[in-house]
Amino acid sequence: GAVVSQHPSWVICKSGTSVKIECRSLDFQATTMFWYRQFPKQSLMLMATSNEGSKATYEQGVEKDKFLINHASLTLSTLTVTSAHPEDSSFYICSASGGKNPYEQYFGPGTRLTVT
Amino acid sequence: GDSVTQMEGPVTLSEEAFLTINCTYTATGYPSLFWYVQYPGEGLQLLLKATKADDKGSNKGFEATYRKETTSFHLEKGSVQVSDSAVYFCALSPGGSGGYQKVTFGTGTKLQVIP
């Protein structure tokens, strides 16, 4: 139980285009979803937290107009990287909480974004 | 604020060697403590957890004991295998009621096990 999926697992896009990443909780209702960014050889940096039906709460330094987060249902959250640039290339990981243990986060497998 | 400090890697061990990865934390109250593992190219998987002092989390031969007096949660395994090669993250969440729990991660320790 408590499985989180992400799609796509990897994506390559051209500079200036937008790309959408989906995060789904497959067998539980995710009241809260989190988006992280991981730079090479570094830890995870929390970008934003979203509760179903509410606007996302962004961490300091994260551009909310660039990283659009939507949590429209209890099983789906999306992260859209708008007008992507090469410096946005990274590993994006989502997590979700709201299963049997509301204090625990379940992580997706991550999405590798490469902007050329 | 909350913080997690892990020993720097990479750690290179021979197969069947004993593993210790140190982790200490700073937090108010009674946080929950976690170890996550990340295999190459993949997301994080929860390896084990402990939610109160003196609890021991264990999974797949790995163990860690929640030591409040030393604010530590060191990861140990008696005999590592090549398949254990991965990056290990120590983490904490504030615990308590409320539901939303911001997890604070350490910087990760890369483990490489050689045959």
Side-chain angles (χ1 to χ4, degrees):
Chain A
V3 178
V4 176
S5 70
Q6 281 185 242
H7 178 79
S9 56
W10 59 271
V11 58
I12 301 173
C13 70
K14 292 187 176 181
S15 188
T17 62
S18 296
V19 61
K20 180 184 287 188
I21 302 170
E22 293 185 349
C23 176
R24 292 182 185 273
S25 58
L26 299 185
D27 51 3
F28 67 100
Q29 293 186 327
T31 50
T32 306
M33 284 187 167
F34 307 83
W35 286 95
Y36 294 86
R37 182 173 180 179
Q38 186 179 30
F39 295 94
K41 300 182 180 180
Q42 293 188 26
S43 189
L44 281 71
M45 180 192 78
L46 179 64
M47 299 174 66
T49 303
S50 71
N51 292 297
E52 185 264 339
S54 303
K55 287 186 178 180
T57 301
Y58 290 81
E59 295 297 303
Q60 192 172 10
V62 178
E63 299 176 61
K64 60 182 179 182
D65 293 331
K66 182 169 186 61
F67 298 99
L68 301 178
I69 292 171
N70 183 276
H71 191 167
S73 77
L74 285 172
T75 59
L76 173 65
S77 176
T78 60
L79 167 66
T80 302
V81 183
T82 62
S83 186
H85 291 285
E87 57 266 30
D88 298 325
S89 299
S90 193
F91 195 54
Y92 292 88
I93 302 176
C94 75
S95 70
S97 66
K100 286 183 180 179
N101 184 351
Y103 312 137
E104 191 166 328
Q105 292 185 29
Y106 304 96
F107 286 82
T111 297
R112 172 73 61 192
L113 169 64
T114 301
V115 184
T116 60
Chain B
D2 296 345
S3 68
V4 176
T5 302
Q6 283 182 243
M7 62 186 291
E8 289 190 19
V11 174
T12 302
L13 295 173
S14 298
E15 205 165 23
E16 299 184 1
F18 184 86
L19 168 72
T20 300
I21 300 178
N22 290 336
C23 171
T24 56
Y25 67 90
T26 302
T28 55
Y30 300 90
S32 295
L33 303 174
F34 307 88
W35 276 101
Y36 287 90
V37 58
Q38 184 179 32
Y39 297 101
E42 299 183 13
L44 271 68
Q45 300 176 29
L46 178 64
L47 181 60
L48 54 84
K49 66 180 180 181
T51 58
K52 61 182 187 295
D54 300 325
D55 266 3
K56 177 186 282 188
S58 61
N59 186 25
K60 300 181 181 179
F62 291 89
E63 293 183 339
T65 301
Y66 189 143
R67 300 288 188 199
K68 190 161 178 65
E69 63 276 13
T70 54
T71 61
S72 64
F73 193 55
H74 305 322
L75 182 69
E76 297 182 336
K77 186 174 186 182
S79 175
V80 294
Q81 305 300 312
V82 172
S83 57
D84 294 327
S85 298
V87 180
Y88 292 81
F89 292 92
C90 186
L92 70 82
S93 68
S97 62
Y100 164 52
Q101 298 290 322
K102 180 176 178 178
V103 178
T104 300
F105 289 89
T107 52
T109 302
K110 183 175 182 179
L111 170 65
Q112 182 177 12
V113 181
I114 54 177

